[in-house]
Amino acid sequence: MAEVKLAAETRTEFGKGAARRIRRESKVPGVLYGHGGETVHVTLPGHDLLLALRTPNVLLSLDIEGKTRLAIPKAVQRDAIKGFLEHVDLLLVRSGEKVNVDIYVHTEGDLAPGAYLVEHVLNALPVEAEATHIPESVTVSIEGLAAGDSILAKDVPLPAGTTLAIDEDAVVLQVLAAQAEEATGEAEGEGETAEA
């Protein structure tokens, strides 16, 4: 898991006008909360935060007025058109603490011969992991699977120290027959018969 160090500043101005001023300075307003403490309003460097958020479940090491605090992103607001960061909610964490996060599910391998489709019922798998050891993703083998086969949450190999935060019988992936392609092939066959 990646840990990214960022310098953060506390802020005392709130509201839309203050947020616009912060963004004009290429910074992002945010809030830091957790552990029953008071919410801390912060300002973060926009470009560095944008780069950090490219890593799923990134651990942020924030330097706030000389104190280092660990946090993970819980909610990120982006501009719908331009995509720049508008606001970020950060959850305080401690080393050794367990947190609930979603990790991406990737597939590897080839399906059984035939026209099949893999449906990702869950693109991300809810898990509980240590805050400083959150996996970025998990990989599932679909080698040899055919239509009607599925992979359940309990079948997904998880790294040590990571447990499911979802029903173990929940479907993560399922293999479907590619009906659209079959229908197209049948239509072509009918056309050839009509020509004959």
Side-chain angles (χ1 to χ4, degrees):
M1 173 180 187
E3 181 177 324
V4 177
K5 294 183 179 182
L6 293 176
E9 305 164 6
T10 56
R11 61 187 170 98
T12 54
E13 289 185 318
F14 310 104
K16 289 184 180 180
R20 284 190 192 109
R21 281 193 294 278
I22 291 169
R23 289 188 206 105
R24 273 197 300 270
E25 296 171 5
S26 297
K27 295 181 180 179
V28 179
V31 293
L32 184 63
Y33 60 90
H35 299 145
E38 287 187 20
T39 299
V40 179
H41 296 268
V42 293
T43 301
L44 301 155
H47 182 69
D48 294 340
L49 180 62
L50 185 66
L51 292 177
L53 292 176
R54 288 183 178 173
T55 303
N57 297 316
V58 66
L59 180 66
L60 300 174
S61 176
L62 303 175
D63 181 5
I64 305 172
E65 298 174 349
K67 290 184 179 178
T68 300
R69 304 179 97 174
L70 295 176
I72 57 173
K74 281 311 270 185
V76 178
Q77 295 174 11
R78 296 177 187 266
D79 180 270
I81 297 170
K82 297 182 181 176
F84 62 78
L85 298 174
E86 290 192 330
H87 190 273
V88 64
D89 289 359
L90 303 170
L91 176 66
L92 280 170
V93 294
R94 294 186 183 112
S95 182
E97 177 183 6
K98 295 273 189 173
V99 293
N100 287 337
V101 294
D102 292 340
I103 56 175
Y104 291 109
V105 178
H106 298 292
T107 58
E108 67 178 6
D110 297 318
L111 296 172
Y116 301 120
L117 299 172
V118 177
E119 179 187 14
H120 286 255
V121 178
L122 295 175
N123 287 322
L125 187 66
V127 298
E128 183 181 69
E130 188 180 330
T132 54
H133 294 92
I134 299 172
E136 290 181 17
S137 63
V138 288
T139 303
V140 176
S141 174
I142 58 169
E143 188 68 38
L145 296 182
D149 292 339
S150 59
I151 293 179
L152 306 179
K154 64 184 175 186
D155 302 327
V156 177
L158 296 174
T162 303
T163 57
L164 290 172
I166 190 174
D167 179 16
E168 63 178 19
D169 291 324
V171 177
V172 178
L173 302 168
Q174 60 186 7
V175 181
L176 308 171
Q179 296 172 350
E181 290 180 17
E182 291 173 11
T184 304
E186 289 171 8
E188 288 173 1
E190 289 170 7
E192 290 172 8
T193 306
E195 286 175 8

